[in-house]
Amino acid sequence: QVQLVESGGGLVQAGGSLRLSCAASGRTFSVYMMGWFRQAPGKEREFVAAINWSGGSTDYADSAKGRFTMSRDNAKNTVYLQMNSLKPEDTAVYYCAADSRPPYYSRTSPLSSRYDDWGPGTQDTVSS
């Protein structure tokens, strides 16, 4: 089991920015596809962004394109989600996820079933 811990969530005004971080345990982080998902009150969990093992490929939900950027630093066992131009509808609990069990997926996937370990989540609230 890989331990994941999100940080960087908080309260921000509409139009502002937040940067989320997700730190992972283990010595094989560099082979994991990583993803960000979110869940708003009364809504189902939805895909936000994914990045492949090397960071050379990313994928975003339509709602995130042009505003959010996912990146990773394998030397630090950390992935990031830079969120700009935030809107009230971005308010949600954001979860970090890892494809941390073999076979390891070499691309990106928006499917939650592709991910094996999840962080506890961090609350992002965007006020109007």
Side-chain angles (χ1 to χ4, degrees):
Q1 185 177 4
V2 171
Q3 303 295 322
L4 303 171
V5 180
E6 303 96 341
S7 62
L11 176 65
V12 66
Q13 294 183 357
S17 298
L18 286 172
R19 190 178 78 152
L20 305 183
S21 298
C22 174
S25 66
R27 292 178 286 183
T28 53
F29 175 82
S30 62
V31 307
Y32 302 159
M33 172 182 64
M34 300 292 294
W36 286 99
F37 294 76
R38 69 186 184 187
Q39 187 167 18
K43 303 293 185 180
E44 295 185 349
R45 183 175 60 188
E46 65 176 356
F47 169 75
V48 177
I51 193 165
N52 79 329
W53 63 272
S54 69
S57 181
T58 53
D59 187 36
Y60 300 94
D62 287 343
S63 61
K65 289 180 180 177
R67 300 189 299 127
F68 294 3
T69 302
M70 189 173 183
S71 60
R72 69 190 299 157
D73 186 341
N74 286 345
K76 297 181 178 180
N77 273 27
T78 302
V79 295
Y80 306 93
L81 184 67
Q82 178 68 46
M83 303 188 293
N84 299 326
S85 301
L86 284 163
K87 306 173 182 178
E89 51 262 46
D90 295 317
T91 295
V93 176
Y94 284 72
Y95 298 93
C96 176
D99 174 30
S100 50
R101 299 173 191 168
Y104 303 114
Y105 198 58
S106 62
R107 297 172 284 174
T108 58
S109 177
L111 303 176
S112 61
S113 61
R114 287 279 192 177
Y115 300 87
D116 304 298
D117 291 296
W118 297 76
T122 185
Q123 176 71 52
D124 295 333
T125 301
V126 184
S127 65
S128 59

